[in-house]
């Protein structure tokens, strides 16, 4: 592949960031190609979420297996993002983008032909590998090809893509699942992937910064092991009753091992700080970049942590089809899609601090209203006001967050910075999904026992003991919460009044457990919102040597 564009060298190679490179194609066309690939990654995530009940029914997956179907992708994706950012610096972001796109598309087709939950988890791992190679290249290329005073608008479009994908995922996915089955949520990636591959091959510049990097193999191994142990412990804790998981090895021991390995990783990175660590410590000199990494991880924690219980609620409690559930959540994403570009342009003009703070405040408020409105006998229209408020808030977070985070990042380290911020985004999603899933399983198990005990009084005495025992044992074998499930399997010949009471018991227990569970991501989001107040606002000033040019990226001072 011939190199179209090379940046670096000359005076800028030693003294500061290279200038915005000359491109054969408009940067906005390049942005479209980048967003198309990014769109496919996000589309897959939201489509899989909406198909959870159908996958449970068709493949016989339990809730803990569903969590692995979601988290296997996210875990591999998160672990490899920093490495992929380094590979983009080494071999060029275009090459990594194209290779990742091919792998992700092929793995999507393989997912469609999975015969059991285990096969689906394996192919989701391959999907995560492809997605990890692709994603950091988008942010590093945008940072390099757009001048600072245009990046907010570019990031706004990039953020709007997230809104479109969120709309298309539940809605398109709901239609596909309802009319054709869950396999088509993966097959839909084939035409999108092929078109994105052709377009990216033609228009993407082959950017080079004339800087060779070395991969931190030890750091990659340590962080991979540590994150795997952490997520495995969180996901498998409740099914194993926080006891033995691998022979004599217990879940608490696995979590302790995860903490030790991750601590060793951070120590190893610190010792390597003057060499080529997986995480270059120099990027944390900018307070805003450090703060935005925490905020983006909290946003992902909240998004995954809130969406998983809500999808199950819409279909299993309210009895909606997958398409109806997708249409129910679509207004939030539609609103955010139109708000994001406007917020990006405003962030270019006035800075993103208070736009981001206001957006997060509205998002937390809207989601809190959704949680409060969700009752056993609610109608889906009852959730609309909260979803609309949350959509406005979400649209005000995408562009300002990336603008604040990447404004002072020099193109020479854009790959590493992009890889790291995308890693923290996905780590938040992994921990949020695993923690909320584990908490939901535990609370639902307790609530099922309590509600079954209370409702059993309406049954003949001969059925009461078995009724309560069935729900009490449900949590230990992996709760099944698909459409029409009651949390406990009813034996053949069970009277209809017992089946009806079982469904009532499950609905009451699930809503109670869901409301308590969703407090955790809301608290995390509230703390992240307050953290935005610590952001340093930008003012027009002299450039910081080695980081920003007076004509490109203003320096920041605390005000």
């Amino acid at each position: 592949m011939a190199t179209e564009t090379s940046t670096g060298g000359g005076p800028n190679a030693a003294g500061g960031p290279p200038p915005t490179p000359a491109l054969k194609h408009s940067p906005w066309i390049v942005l479209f190609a980048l967003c198309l690939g990014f769109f496919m990654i996000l589309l897959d995530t939201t489509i899989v979420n909406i198909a959870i009940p159908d996958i449970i029914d068709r493949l016989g997956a339990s809730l803990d297996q569903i969590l692995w179907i979601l988290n296997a992708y996210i875990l591999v994706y998160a672990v490899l993002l920093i490495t992929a950012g380094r590979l983009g610096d080494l071999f060029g972001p275009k090459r990594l983008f194209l290779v990742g796109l091919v792998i992700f598309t092929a793995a999507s087709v393989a997912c469609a032909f999975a015969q059991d939950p285990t096969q689906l988890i394996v192919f989701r791992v391959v999907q995560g590998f492809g997605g990890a190679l692709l994603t950091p290249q988008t942010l590093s290329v945008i940072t390099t090809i757009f001048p600072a005073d245009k990046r907010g608008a570019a990031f706004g479009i990039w953020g709007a893509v997230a809104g479109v994908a969120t709309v298309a995922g539940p809605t398109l996915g709901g239609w596909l699942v309802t009319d054709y089955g869950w396999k088509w949520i993966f097959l839909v990636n084939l035409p999108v992937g092929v078109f994105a591959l052709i377009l990216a091959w033609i228009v993407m510049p082959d950017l080079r910064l004339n800087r060779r990097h070395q991969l931190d193999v030890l750091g990659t191994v340590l962080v991979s092991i540590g994150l795997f142990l952490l997520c495995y412990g969180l996901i498998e804790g409740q099914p194993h009753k926080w006891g033995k998981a691998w022979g004599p090895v217990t879940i608490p021991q696995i979590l302790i091992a995860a903490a030790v390995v991750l601590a060793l990783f951070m120590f190893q990175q610190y010792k390597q700080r003057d060499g080529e660590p997986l995480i270059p410590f120099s990027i944390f000199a900018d307070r805003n970049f450090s703060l935005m990494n925490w905020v983006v991880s909290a946003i992902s924690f909240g998004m995954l942590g809130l969406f998983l219980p809500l999808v199950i609620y819409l279909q299993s409690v309210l009895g909606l089809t997958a398409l109806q559930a997708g249409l129910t959540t679509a207004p939030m994403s539609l609103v955010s899609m139109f708000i994001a570009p406007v917020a990006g342009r405003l962030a270019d003009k006035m800075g993103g601090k208070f736009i981001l703070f206001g957006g997060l405040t509205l998002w937390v408020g809207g989601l809190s209203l959704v949680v409060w409105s969700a009752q056993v006998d609610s109608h889906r229209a009852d959730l609309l006001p909260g979803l609309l408020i949350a959509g406005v808030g979400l649209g005000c977070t995408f562009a300002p967050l990336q603008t604040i985070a990447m404004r002072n990042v020099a193109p020479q380290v854009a790959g590493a910075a992009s890889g790291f911020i995308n890693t923290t985004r996905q780590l938040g999603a992994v921990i949020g999904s695993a923690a909320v899933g584990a908490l939901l399983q535990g609370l639902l198990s307790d609530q099922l026992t309590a509600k079954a005990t209370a409702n059993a009084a309406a049954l003949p005495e001969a059925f009461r003991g078995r009724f309560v025992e069935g729900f009490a044992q449900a949590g230990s074998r992996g709760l099944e919460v698909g459409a029409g499930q009651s949390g406990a399997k009813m034996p053949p010949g069970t009277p209809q009044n017992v089946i009806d009471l079982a469904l009532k018991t499950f609905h009451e227990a699930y809503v109670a457990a869901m409301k308590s569970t969703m407090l955790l991501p809301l608290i995390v989001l509230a703390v992240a919102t307050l953290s935005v107040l610590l952001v340093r606002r930008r003012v027009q000033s002299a450039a910081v040597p080695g980081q920003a040019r007076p004509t490109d990226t203003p320096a920041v001072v605390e005000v």
Side-chain angles (χ1 to χ4, degrees), residues 236-452:
E236 294 296 315
Q238 180 60 31
H240 289 90
K241 297 184 177 179
W242 304 99
K244 294 181 179 179
W246 300 335
V249 180
T250 64
I251 293 294
Q253 289 171 343
I254 292 173
L255 293 175
I256 292 172
V260 171
V261 173
L262 290 174
L264 287 174
F265 167 71
M266 294 306 298
F267 176 75
Q268 183 261 352
Q269 293 295 287
Y270 179 76
K271 296 291 286 186
Q272 288 279 100
R273 66 189 183 279
D274 294 327
E276 287 279 0
L278 197 62
I279 302 176
F281 275 60
S282 61
I283 61 178
F284 299 110
D286 178 22
R287 181 208 287 182
N288 289 356
F289 180 81
S290 301
L291 275 174
M292 289 305 98
N293 274 276
W294 146 245
V295 172
V296 78
S297 66
I299 289 174
S300 293
F301 184 105
M303 187 171 292
L304 266 290
L306 289 162
F307 196 71
L308 175 62
L310 186 61
V311 166
I312 298 174
Y313 164 78
L314 290 173
Q315 297 185 60
S316 296
V317 177
L318 298 191
L320 302 181
T321 65
L323 177 59
Q324 290 171 332
L327 292 173
T328 299
T329 59
M332 180 182 74
S333 303
L334 278 171
V335 171
S336 70
M337 177 182 68
F338 290 105
I339 293 293
V342 177
R345 288 193 291 271
L346 288 175
D348 282 335
K349 294 179 180 179
M350 55 181 292
K353 177 177 180 177
F354 291 109
I355 297 174
L356 179 58
F357 179 80
L360 285 173
T361 301
L362 288 173
W363 195 39
V364 173
L367 292 176
S368 298
L369 182 58
V370 170
V371 174
W372 179 80
S373 302
Q375 307 292 338
V376 173
D377 56 351
S378 293
H379 187 273
R380 57 179 173 172
D382 297 334
L383 308 180
L384 184 59
L387 290 170
L388 291 175
I389 295 172
V392 174
L394 189 61
C396 291
T397 64
F398 296 121
L401 190 151
Q402 298 298 338
T403 300
I404 293 170
M406 301 297 289
R407 176 169 290 277
N408 296 324
V409 173
Q412 292 96 327
V413 294
S418 172
F420 187 82
I421 197 168
N422 278 290
T423 297
T424 56
R425 182 197 310 275
Q426 295 307 316
L427 287 183
V430 169
I431 297 173
S433 180
V436 167
L439 181 60
L440 178 61
Q441 287 188 70
L443 292 176
L444 182 53
S445 180
D446 293 340
Q447 287 290 337
L448 283 171
T449 302
K451 298 297 183 182

Side-chain angles (χ1 to χ4, degrees), residues 138-161:
T138 64
L139 198 55
S140 64
V141 170
I142 292 172
T143 302
T144 302
I145 67 176
F146 283 94
D149 60 350
K150 294 294 196 309
R151 285 184 203 147
F155 286 139
I157 295 173
W158 189 73
V161 167

Side-chain angles (χ1 to χ4, degrees), residues 38-88:
F38 188 54
F39 171 85
M40 190 171 68
I41 303 296
L42 294 181
L43 181 73
D44 184 81
T45 302
T46 53
I47 282 183
V48 173
N49 284 334
I50 204 69
I52 285 172
D54 195 56
I55 294 175
I56 290 174
D57 295 338
R58 301 293 181 89
L59 288 185
S62 62
L63 181 57
D64 53 295
Q65 288 175 317
I66 285 294
L67 290 172
W68 272 111
I69 289 171
L70 295 174
N71 288 321
Y73 171 80
I74 299 174
L75 175 59
V76 174
Y77 184 65
V79 167
L80 296 178
L81 280 168
I82 294 177
T83 303
R86 286 293 194 180
L87 289 173

Side-chain angles (χ1 to χ4, degrees), residues 167-187:
V167 171
T171 307
L172 175 62
W175 168 62
L176 290 172
V177 170
T178 300
D179 290 352
Y180 301 103
W182 67 269
K183 292 179 181 291
W184 284 90
I185 67 173
F186 295 107
L187 290 175

Side-chain angles (χ1 to χ4, degrees), residues 440-455 467-468 470-475 479-481 486-488 502-510 512-513:
L440 178 61
Q441 287 188 70
L443 292 176
L444 182 53
S445 180
D446 293 340
Q447 287 290 337
L448 283 171
T449 302
K451 298 297 183 182
T453 301
N455 291 337
F467 185 82
V468 175
F471 282 107
Q473 294 178 350
L479 292 168
E480 296 182 359
V481 292
S486 62
L503 286 172
K504 176 177 181 291
T505 298
F506 170 74
H507 291 168
E508 292 176 349
Y510 185 82

